[in-house]
Amino acid sequence: MLKTPLNKIINRVILTLLITIFLPMQVIAQEEEPTNETSSNSHQSDSAQAWLAKMSDAVKSLNYTISFILLKPGADSQPYLWRHGVNEAGLEMEQLNQLNGPGREVVRIGNKVSYFEPNVPPYSLQSSIINGPFPSEFFQRPEKLMLGYEFIMVGRSRIAGRAAQQIRIISKDKSRFGLNVWLDQETGLLLKMNLIGQEAQLLEQIQVTGLQVTKEPDPFFAKIEPGMLPEVVNFNPSAAINSPWTIKYLPKGMTIVKRDLRRLSGSGEVVEYIMLSDGLVDISVYIQDRSNSKPQDNLVGTVQSDTLLTIEHGELNITIIGKIPAATANAIAKSIQRII
């Protein structure tokens, strides 16, 4: 497989795909030395499952304001403000605000998520979660991740001045990067996530810099008038496609969550798009018939913390993008076969 400089990889992807990819953020970890620190507020159970259940409950039920920073290689650090509240009627309210640059704000009231971005008219979607730097499945249904990952208790340390429990998350079949998380010992809320590569290098980091838990929701939510939020945009679901291709190899615990056809805006070519997910990692797969597309070179590289692979395989041009090792991306691509 040929290696190509990063700028050429990026240019080739822009020219051939012209598709903006939003991947829910998944992160992984460099270990910190655990301390012997203890607290009277320790969780009663020392099992990883109990801690993850505590985290999931805290994320949905507590009133909190969290400041955190997202770090990626080759990019400026990005600070965020995350607010969550539950009103007297039990309605969840949430805000995620990107603080640097032109800014991007997302507000959720119940199952209505409203987006406010520069140069784009405000709009709302029907959803019970905000897609941000954190993997939503990890917060909402961490038990589902047990299919593909092992959760190992490591020890306790201090993060952002608070006692924290560290948990290591390891891919059962070694096909994905590792993840370390630190949970607040008192509340169970996330304090830090590190994405660690196969050579123990730090690929991504989310670091909480401030955490405040209050009895009442933040006053910010009292200023929101639900009737003034943008109307919900309803998208027609993509029709099921009768694809002639199947993926023979999927990492343990990973499934196909989306499959449709997309037309490239630049060339007008039609590609088959497949999204794979295990709850922590999303992988985008693009398949083009070589007879209907331009030839492409075999390329492998990274764009920040994402692996980017393009190869010719039989009758197909295949592109794979995701936070996975290059060997895993290559194995997925080469397992794509015509259905007999």
Side-chain angles (χ1 to χ4, degrees):
M1 186 165 295
L2 299 178
K3 292 191 176 180
T4 299
L6 178 58
N7 61 334
K8 291 186 178 180
I9 296 174
I10 296 174
N11 290 337
R12 188 177 297 278
V13 173
I14 293 173
L15 291 173
T16 59
L17 293 180
L18 294 175
I19 293 175
T20 301
I21 299 163
F22 296 96
L23 297 175
M25 197 69 43
Q26 304 100 6
V27 251
I28 305 186
Q30 222 173 7
E31 283 186 24
E32 294 190 354
E33 288 296 324
T35 70
N36 294 322
E37 192 170 324
T38 58
S39 169
S40 59
N41 293 319
S42 297
H43 198 265
Q44 292 182 353
S45 172
D46 277 337
S47 73
Q49 291 85 347
W51 274 98
L52 293 173
K54 181 178 181 179
M55 174 199 67
S56 181
D57 180 67
V59 165
K60 293 178 283 190
S61 65
L62 296 182
N63 300 308
Y64 52 84
T65 299
I66 296 176
S67 300
F68 68 89
I69 296 175
L70 171 64
L71 299 171
K72 292 185 177 183
D76 291 337
S77 60
Q78 183 61 62
Y80 286 83
L81 178 66
W82 180 21
R83 293 186 176 110
H84 180 273
V86 181
N87 66 14
E88 294 179 354
L91 183 69
E92 277 192 77
M93 305 170 292
E94 197 171 7
Q95 179 209 26
L96 183 65
N97 195 359
Q98 189 173 328
L99 300 179
N100 276 3
R104 179 176 185 264
E105 183 178 9
V106 187
V107 175
R108 178 172 72 90
I109 305 296
N111 290 328
K112 184 178 183 179
V113 181
S114 301
Y115 294 84
F116 304 90
E117 304 175 74
N119 305 318
V120 177
Y123 63 96
S124 298
L125 299 176
Q126 200 76 29
S127 177
S128 61
I129 59 171
I130 285 179
N131 285 327
F134 297 120
S136 58
E137 283 288 306
F138 178 64
F139 285 152
Q140 301 294 324
R141 291 170 290 274
E143 69 280 356
K144 292 181 62 176
L145 306 180
M146 302 293 178
L147 292 173
Y149 295 91
E150 294 179 356
F151 294 79
I152 301 171
M153 299 286 286
V154 177
R156 296 199 174 111
S157 58
R158 287 183 64 81
I159 302 293
R162 301 177 67 96
Q165 173 63 56
Q166 182 185 352
I167 300 175
R168 182 182 302 157
I169 303 175
I170 301 174
S171 168
K172 288 184 176 180
D173 59 6
K174 314 302 181 186
S175 63
R176 283 145 291 184
F177 297 131
L179 183 71
N180 276 4
V181 300
W182 287 261
L183 305 181
D184 181 47
Q185 192 170 321
E186 180 181 355
T187 64
L189 291 169
L190 186 72
L191 294 178
K192 186 175 180 180
M193 297 182 80
N194 283 345
L195 182 67
I196 299 300
Q198 292 178 307
E199 297 180 0
Q201 74 275 29
L202 181 64
L203 300 179
E204 259 187 30
Q205 182 180 86
I206 292 178
Q207 168 71 62
V208 168
T209 56
L211 167 63
Q212 183 179 16
V213 178
T214 57
K215 184 177 180 180
E216 302 296 332
D218 190 284
F220 166 84
F221 295 112
K223 302 175 183 178
I224 298 176
E225 297 183 26
M228 300 299 292
L229 294 174
E231 293 295 322
V232 172
V233 177
N234 293 313
F235 294 100
N236 294 325
S238 302
I241 64 171
N242 185 20
S243 174
W245 307 105
T246 183
I247 302 178
K248 291 291 187 179
Y249 166 72
L250 292 177
K252 191 175 182 64
M254 188 158 282
T255 60
I256 296 175
V257 297
K258 183 183 294 185
R259 191 166 195 159
D260 57 28
L261 296 178
R262 300 187 177 184
R263 186 177 296 278
L264 303 182
S265 58
S267 63
E269 296 175 355
V270 175
V271 300
E272 181 174 338
Y273 171 72
I274 304 171
M275 176 176 279
L276 312 175
S277 181
D278 60 15
L280 275 180
V281 177
D282 292 343
I283 303 172
S284 293
V285 181
Y286 298 89
I287 300 175
Q288 292 176 279
D289 191 324
R290 289 178 60 190
S291 62
N292 298 323
S293 60
K294 297 179 181 178
Q296 68 179 19
D297 296 328
N298 290 352
L299 306 171
V300 62
T302 58
V303 181
Q304 294 185 3
S305 52
D306 289 312
T307 292
L308 189 154
L309 172 79
T310 64
I311 68 169
E312 291 183 353
H313 176 58
E315 308 167 56
L316 302 174
N317 287 334
I318 300 170
T319 297
I320 295 181
I321 304 173
K323 291 179 174 59
I324 53 175
T328 301
N330 190 55
I332 292 172
K334 291 190 173 180
S335 77
I336 297 175
Q337 299 178 11
R338 182 179 290 276
I339 299 173
I340 299 176

